[in-house]
Amino acid sequence: DSGVTQTPKHLITATGQRVTLRCSPRSGDLSVYWYQQSLDQGLQFLIQYYNGEERAKGNILERFSAQQFPDLHSELNLSSLELGDSALYFCASSSGTSGASSYNEQFFGPGTRLTVL
Amino acid sequence: KNEVEQSPQNLTAQEGEFITINCSYSVGISALHWLQQHPGGGIVSLFMLSSGKKKHGRLIATINIQEKHSSLHITASHPRDSAVYICAVRSNNDMRFGAGTRLTVKP
């Protein structure tokens, strides 16, 4: 158990809908990362937050957004869902004092499996 | 060409064998991660390297910054090591991933 929790575990929805995925980092970790893992594109980095602020952005679509709240949990919002958004979404957390330039080890949550029908 | 290339794609070994998985990258990096993904999907971070060598139990990871290459070694492999091993590099506030190496260790 990494100490990172993600809810829900599974999510099935229809095209055009909007969903919210939630992540609670390990106690004391200030950085949260979101990743997408699909069958055709493998793992991709979406976005990083550090202590409530966006610190790094990867291949995140404009239909997707995220935020990190004062209690450090994070939410990833996916809207106007398409079939191709079906994937495993992982959250990871790390400690660190310098946000985007932190080199600290990441601890991964169990993932949320999203199926868009 | 992918920025992070792993080899081999698939690897089958007998229990007890010494395993090597390679990762080459083409971008400047600040750190390199080795991840393990089990059949159930969960991901565990094995190592994070920016230089030299790290060892944890039967696992050893090395990185050569000049050659832009890293290796993950598993000594005395065991069936429970069967998993997908993924190399990831951190570059300019982005993370790039290799396609993974699927390792199967037979008893």
Side-chain angles (χ1 to χ4, degrees):
Chain A
D1 184 0
S2 66
V4 179
T5 61
Q6 288 188 249
T7 56
K9 200 169 180 177
H10 300 278
L11 196 46
I12 301 174
T13 188
T15 55
Q17 295 298 304
R18 172 189 166 96
V19 297
T20 297
L21 312 184
R22 183 187 168 107
C23 168
S24 293
R26 288 190 324 154
S27 176
D29 282 356
L30 299 179
S31 274
V32 169
Y33 307 78
W34 285 100
Y35 300 96
Q36 180 195 58
Q37 186 177 37
S38 61
L39 281 174
D40 56 345
Q41 295 197 311
L43 265 168
Q44 291 193 92
F45 167 62
L46 296 179
I47 198 163
Q48 177 198 358
Y49 278 82
Y50 175 76
N51 203 21
E53 293 187 9
E54 181 185 307
R55 281 304 177 103
K57 217 169 189 176
N59 293 326
I60 188 165
L61 300 172
E62 283 193 13
R63 299 183 285 109
F64 297 180
S65 64
Q67 54 184 328
Q68 186 179 27
F69 294 86
D71 66 353
L72 301 177
H73 91 271
S74 178
E75 292 180 357
L76 179 67
N77 300 297
L78 315 176
S79 62
S80 303
L81 285 167
E82 302 175 359
L83 295 177
D85 297 328
S86 295
L88 261 174
Y89 291 84
F90 288 100
C91 161
S93 74
S94 72
S95 61
T97 58
S98 51
S101 61
S102 166
Y103 302 159
N104 292 331
E105 182 182 3
Q106 295 182 26
F107 295 85
F108 284 77
T112 292
R113 185 174 294 279
L114 174 67
T115 303
V116 182
L117 300 175
Chain B
K1 189 180 190 308
N2 289 338
E3 290 168 317
V4 182
E5 296 275 359
Q6 282 185 240
S7 62
Q9 266 189 311
N10 294 284
L11 183 55
T12 300
Q14 287 297 130
E15 184 173 356
E17 284 185 5
F18 180 83
I19 304 289
T20 295
I21 299 171
N22 296 299
C23 175
S24 295
Y25 52 91
S26 57
V27 294
I29 69 169
S30 52
L32 181 144
H33 297 254
W34 279 104
L35 309 174
Q36 180 192 53
Q37 186 167 30
H38 283 284
I43 295 178
V44 174
S45 175
L46 298 175
F47 294 102
M48 189 195 65
L49 298 159
S50 52
S51 65
K53 178 178 174 177
K54 284 190 176 179
K55 184 176 190 291
H56 185 255
R58 295 180 295 106
L59 302 178
I60 303 166
T62 64
I63 187 168
N64 185 318
I65 297 293
Q66 287 73 30
E67 295 188 3
K68 294 187 174 178
H69 181 268
S70 176
S71 293
L72 176 69
H73 306 285
I74 305 175
T75 61
S77 59
H78 190 277
R80 66 174 174 265
D81 297 326
S82 297
V84 175
Y85 292 82
I86 301 168
C87 170
V89 300
R90 187 166 184 111
S91 175
N92 294 329
N93 293 339
D94 196 0
M95 287 274 283
R96 301 286 179 176
F97 295 85
T101 294
R102 184 175 299 276
L103 171 66
T104 303
V105 182
K106 296 186 173 180

